Amino acid sequence: LGVAVAVFAGRIRIAAPLLLVVVGIGIGYIPGVPLIEIDPEIILLGVLPPLLYAAAVNVPILDLRRNVGPITALSVVLVIITALVIGGLLHLLVPSIPFAAAVALGAVVAPPDAGAATSIVKRVGMPPRLVTILEGESLVNDATSLVLLRTAIAATAGGFVFWEAAGNFAFAVAVAIVFGFTVGVITVWVRSKLQNPIYDTVVSFAVPFIAFVPTEYVGASGVLAVVVTGLYSGHHAPRKFSAISRVNERLNWRTAQFLLENGVFLLMGLELHKLVDDIDRSELQLQHTT
């Protein structure tokens, strides 16, 4: 279905992710189709790390360095400001919702997904620098959002303290960078010693999980660690890996990225029916006053 939609989307010049969401919604409302509900932990652990690694390993790190200013402004500063503004407005409109809980909701909706955006800007011929900025922003904004979400949830238990929240945020980022760089160095060295392309492929598919799981275990950002590992691996691949290994890795990860990204957008549409039913049955309602 993903291949069929991608081919059709290319012919009618519509971004495939957007069309997959619509297709998923349509399938979800077909009579007899069961309600689809996916455990969020499956997406966080099983889909997000390889998806981010697949994107990071193919991004030229030199282009990111040249555009580090706007990428940081969009993926870190703007996400934080957006989450705080949304949280402040929600707390102002519904005072019963604590500010920290409102910021947590803001962190959920703050980071945009750049998959559909980049596919559109590439088609219309936007400058390569803008495409690089969008791709770089999409690598880091999820990490910023998840760290901010974790910090806000922790603050709901003991009250919001700015310096404590800032310290937790800095810890999550710093440890993730160290873990990601370390995993990148070790796994690149190990893969450079492997001559069998099958062994190299197996290790390559394990790398994002090796970076993600221990980083999350110590309370840091596993997403950022995966991005750092992917950037390091992609940057050192020309010097450490053979041409055959690089071709295999690029094809394997582009295939994995296609399957995971299209699958996620399709699931978003499929889950809409279940989400709407849950809202209708929910006992939590906002009270209107006149």
Side-chain angles (χ1 to χ4, degrees), residues 26-36 273:
I27 295 175
Y29 278 92
I30 294 176
V33 174
L35 297 179
I36 304 296
H273 193 174

Side-chain angles (χ1 to χ4, degrees), residues 29-196:
Y29 278 92
I30 294 176
V33 174
L35 297 179
I36 304 296
E37 183 178 16
I38 304 297
D39 187 344
E41 292 297 328
I42 294 178
I43 303 298
L44 182 63
L45 178 60
V47 176
L48 193 57
L51 191 58
L52 288 174
Y53 182 84
V57 78
N58 290 315
V59 173
I61 196 171
L62 295 179
D63 290 345
L64 293 183
R65 287 178 181 176
R66 285 193 290 265
N67 299 285
V68 66
I71 290 174
T72 302
L74 290 172
S75 62
V76 179
V77 178
L78 185 58
V79 170
I80 294 175
I81 292 176
T82 303
L84 292 176
V85 170
I86 293 174
L89 289 175
L90 181 61
H91 178 66
L92 182 64
L93 295 173
V94 189
S96 60
I97 300 178
F99 176 70
V103 171
L105 177 61
V108 171
V109 300
D113 184 275
T118 53
S119 64
I120 293 174
V121 298
K122 287 179 180 178
R123 184 181 300 115
V124 299
M126 294 292 286
R129 180 172 180 267
L130 292 181
V131 178
T132 300
I133 292 174
L134 278 175
E135 291 177 340
E137 187 267 348
S138 67
L139 291 176
V140 184
N141 64 8
D142 286 331
T144 304
S145 175
L146 288 172
V147 172
L148 186 60
L149 176 62
R150 183 187 295 114
T151 303
I153 291 176
T156 58
F160 183 79
V161 180
F162 175 78
W163 293 112
E164 181 179 350
N168 293 335
F169 188 91
F171 168 82
V173 171
V175 172
I177 293 175
V178 173
F179 268 53
F181 181 79
T182 302
V183 171
V185 172
I186 295 174
T187 54
V188 167
W189 180 83
V190 170
R191 292 179 58 200
S192 67
K193 304 300 180 181
L194 299 175
Q195 303 300 321
N196 190 313

Side-chain angles (χ1 to χ4, degrees), residues 63 74 100 135 167 238 260 279 281 288:
D63 290 345
L74 290 172
E135 291 177 340
L260 293 173
I279 293 175
R281 293 195 301 266
H288 296 277

